[in-house]
Amino acid sequence: MAPSSYQAPKRGDKAEKVTYSQTTESNLSHTQTTVSKLLEGKGDAVFSVRPTETIREVVGLLKEKHIGALVVTDQNGALMGILSERDIVRRMAETPGQTLPQSVEDLMTRNVQTCSPDDYLMDILSRMTEGRFRHMPVLKDGNLCGMITIGDVVHFRLKELEYEALRMKQMIVG
């Protein structure tokens, strides 16, 4: 016997609406977010130095701009390397008291890991975590178009999760 609150469908009843609270697209949307989406909110400002500048100048710029790394470019703006606070601290341990007069090209990382605006954020996060680096220049057609940090990626992902949680609450509450 059917529960008393149940009423069998009758001829003429409207067809039930089909709803999908979860779709493959909604469940995987965060894995498909690209670097360009992050840069839309962050901006494309990239601070750079020349290889002949001194570490003293770099330290001042890092402090002034409140950043942790600078890209090293030639006179045409082509990427030559990257120099981070971590690079400077390591050299200070190796050459105490002699680091500040050294040139950028002596300390910079030449084999720079880069990404493109079309790369997926989750892939970039994995590369940064596995490679143990925190800054990644963004190149489009060989030209610098931005810089992202692991903090940018994590912050962006947290905002996505907050938004998804809010959407779920709204669905539940109505």
Side-chain angles (χ1 to χ4, degrees):
M1 178 170 195
S4 60
S5 62
Y6 174 78
Q7 292 182 354
K10 297 178 185 170
R11 190 176 284 183
D13 284 349
K14 292 184 178 179
E16 286 188 36
K17 294 180 182 176
V18 178
T19 61
Y20 300 99
S21 60
Q22 294 185 6
T23 64
T24 304
E25 182 179 303
S26 69
N27 288 341
L28 298 176
S29 64
H30 66 277
T31 61
Q32 298 176 1
T33 304
T34 60
V35 170
S36 62
K37 185 75 173 165
L38 186 151
L39 288 177
E40 283 175 17
K42 179 185 179 184
D44 57 1
V46 180
F47 299 103
S48 64
V49 292
R50 299 282 185 265
T52 55
E53 292 186 46
T54 66
I55 299 306
R56 181 183 317 279
E57 294 167 317
V58 168
V59 169
L61 188 57
L62 291 171
K63 180 183 174 199
E64 175 189 328
K65 301 296 182 186
H66 303 286
I67 55 177
L70 294 161
V71 291
V72 183
T73 59
D74 64 13
Q75 64 275 8
N76 300 320
L79 181 65
M80 296 178 65
I82 190 167
L83 183 66
S84 70
E85 293 168 323
R86 191 179 287 175
D87 296 325
I88 296 168
V89 169
R90 283 188 185 128
R91 183 56 67 97
M92 290 177 83
E94 294 168 3
T95 60
Q98 303 168 17
T99 306
L100 294 178
Q102 294 180 35
S103 70
V104 167
E105 96 184 302
D106 293 336
L107 276 77
M108 72 181 189
T109 301
R110 294 173 191 279
N111 185 17
V112 183
Q113 293 287 319
T114 64
C115 63
S116 80
D118 299 326
D119 288 339
Y120 295 123
L121 284 183
M122 294 308 286
D123 295 339
I124 298 306
L125 185 59
S126 295
R127 284 177 53 197
M128 292 174 110
T129 302
E130 289 168 12
R132 299 183 53 87
F133 56 89
R134 299 174 293 178
H135 303 86
M136 185 178 280
V138 183
L139 297 178
K140 183 174 184 176
D141 301 324
N143 298 316
L144 277 168
C145 66
M147 171 85 98
I148 61 172
T149 68
I150 199 162
D152 295 333
V153 177
V154 169
H155 178 73
F156 188 87
R157 183 65 187 124
L158 286 174
K159 289 291 185 192
E160 280 185 329
L161 289 171
E162 287 173 7
Y163 178 70
E164 288 172 19
L166 177 63
R167 281 188 5 211
M168 283 196 274
K169 282 182 186 176
Q170 289 173 338
M171 275 182 6
I172 292 168
V173 173

